Amino acid sequence: MIKRIITYAEGSDDAATRDFYVNVLGLDVAMDDPVLGLRSGDDPAAQVLVLPPGSTDPLPRLGIDLGEPEAVERAHAEAVRRGLRVVYPLTDESWGVRRFFVEDPGGTVVNVLAHLTGSSRTE
């Protein structure tokens, strides 16, 4: 089950970026550390994460939250089985997310993730 799909952007001016997404587009700030996380007040699954330049290499263009860490493991195994390019290994992050980055057949880097048990942060 896909819980949400997240779009990623880069931004170097936190105040101007926050102002744009909040005051121009009407998104709510869901988190501001370690990245600026924004979401729709009407649909919290509609999200944008703004990463500082150079904070991750490669930069994913979107994230797919599969809802359960075991689903991430299954997706990782299937990506490997199909010979897809995993560009960031399957990892349990210190902020409570299991994830890996995979390149889709068109070259788009996708962050496949789920929150670990007991974690409530928005990634």
Side-chain angles (χ1 to χ4, degrees):
M1 174 178 118
I2 295 175
K3 187 174 180 178
R4 63 194 165 119
I5 297 177
I6 309 129
T7 300
Y8 294 94
E10 279 188 307
S12 59
D13 184 338
D14 289 340
T17 300
R18 179 188 303 257
D19 182 66
F20 171 76
Y21 284 103
V22 171
N23 296 315
V24 175
L25 299 180
L27 293 170
D28 297 327
V29 174
M31 124 177 109
D32 59 8
D33 182 39
V35 299
L36 177 60
L38 304 132
R39 65 179 167 204
S40 165
D42 294 332
D43 181 2
Q47 299 182 4
V48 176
L49 290 183
V50 181
L51 308 173
S55 63
T56 183
D57 184 26
L59 176 70
R61 286 292 146 212
L62 61 113
I64 308 279
D65 184 341
L66 298 181
E68 298 293 330
E70 296 78 15
V72 174
E73 292 168 13
R74 289 190 299 273
H76 179 267
E78 183 64 14
V80 170
R81 186 188 74 74
R82 291 174 178 255
L84 296 170
R85 186 169 164 246
V86 174
V87 298
Y88 183 85
L90 183 62
T91 304
D92 287 351
E93 302 292 0
S94 62
W95 57 88
V97 170
R98 177 169 298 150
R99 69 181 182 162
F100 72 98
F101 296 178
V102 63
E103 196 172 75
D104 78 7
T108 299
V109 175
V110 179
N111 179 8
V112 181
L113 67 123
H115 287 92
L116 297 165
T117 304
S119 175
S120 62
R121 289 192 68 166
T122 302
E123 145 72 23

